[in-house]
Amino acid sequence: MKIIDTHIPDVKILKPQVFTDARGYFFESFRQQWFQQHVANLDFVQTNQSQSIGGTLRGLHYQRMQPQGKLVRVMSGEIFDVAVDLRQSSPSFGHWTGHILSADNHCQMWIPPGFAHGFYVMSDSAECLYQCSDYYAPNDEYAIKWNDDTLAINWPLSSKHSLQLSEKDNQAGNFTDARMFD
């Protein structure tokens, strides 16, 4: 597994070594000991899978009392995956990083606790799998508006698909009003 740094030092892209032949491909997508030694010394307690149609934008979501680190991988399709640093003590506080994850590039994005997370489906549909370092806590879930002016995320929106948002994401608040981490 190769670690690719992003401009936010704690967010990493993990690129596996993929072995291909006439039958298809094989790669190791996760090894706990390696991950703990090279990326983050924590355990994953929950794995989530989502399927979304093209144009779907999920996020920006986070939990404050039970912050979740997430290791995101795309099993089919292509997404633009985004992490926003909400840690006030961090030099990258308020910055975002976004990367294309796809079934073809096999890359994964590590988003540590203390970040908001969201993604936009660039393909006709996408299936995402993400391992979480803490349990989903619906009473502790917060959302920041995907198109917040302060963050100015450069989402690669396409005219091919109409934008699809949940009611919760439509009602999300501004970054300046968000509950942050110390």
Side-chain angles (χ1 to χ4, degrees):
M1 188 82 64
K2 179 181 178 184
I3 299 174
I4 302 168
D5 292 326
T6 68
H7 70 272
I8 297 178
D10 295 330
V11 177
K12 307 289 184 193
I13 302 298
L14 307 181
K15 185 167 183 64
Q17 183 176 7
V18 180
F19 301 93
T20 60
D21 62 24
R23 301 168 296 163
Y25 68 83
F26 169 86
F27 67 93
E28 183 177 277
S29 63
F30 181 77
R31 181 183 293 232
Q32 183 75 24
Q33 183 181 16
W34 181 91
F35 186 85
Q36 288 178 333
Q37 183 179 7
H38 297 283
V39 181
N41 190 15
L42 51 71
D43 293 316
F44 292 112
V45 298
Q46 182 175 321
T47 302
N48 300 327
Q49 184 169 338
S50 69
Q51 186 276 333
S52 305
I53 63 172
T56 297
L57 198 150
R58 295 182 185 265
L60 301 160
H61 303 150
Y62 67 101
Q63 294 181 176
R64 195 165 170 277
M65 301 308 293
Q66 287 181 242
Q68 295 177 305
K70 295 178 181 175
L71 182 60
V72 181
R73 179 164 71 98
V74 173
M75 299 177 62
S76 70
E78 181 176 62
I79 67 170
F80 183 69
D81 205 34
V82 172
V84 178
D85 194 346
L86 301 181
R87 304 167 302 168
Q88 294 179 66
S89 60
S90 169
S92 57
F93 171 69
H95 294 210
W96 64 273
T97 187
H99 301 275
I100 294 175
L101 305 180
S102 72
D104 291 336
N105 71 20
H106 307 291
C107 289
Q108 300 175 75
M109 189 155 97
W110 163 243
I111 304 159
F115 283 73
H117 171 248
F119 65 86
Y120 172 72
V121 179
M122 299 169 65
S123 52
D124 290 338
S125 68
E127 286 185 63
C128 300
L129 183 82
Y130 39 105
Q131 297 183 77
C132 301
S133 64
D134 207 338
Y135 297 103
Y136 173 63
N139 295 331
D140 186 35
E141 186 176 36
Y142 297 91
I144 298 171
K145 192 183 313 182
W146 68 275
N147 60 350
D148 180 87
D149 291 335
T150 302
L151 296 175
I153 296 170
N154 188 19
W155 297 97
L157 302 180
S158 169
S159 59
K160 180 180 177 184
H161 303 105
S162 61
L163 184 63
Q164 303 291 321
L165 295 170
S166 70
E167 188 57 35
K168 174 178 69 176
D169 291 341
N170 256 330
Q171 301 297 321
N174 295 318
F175 173 76
T176 54
D177 298 326
R179 297 188 64 192
M180 304 297 178
F181 296 88
D182 294 333

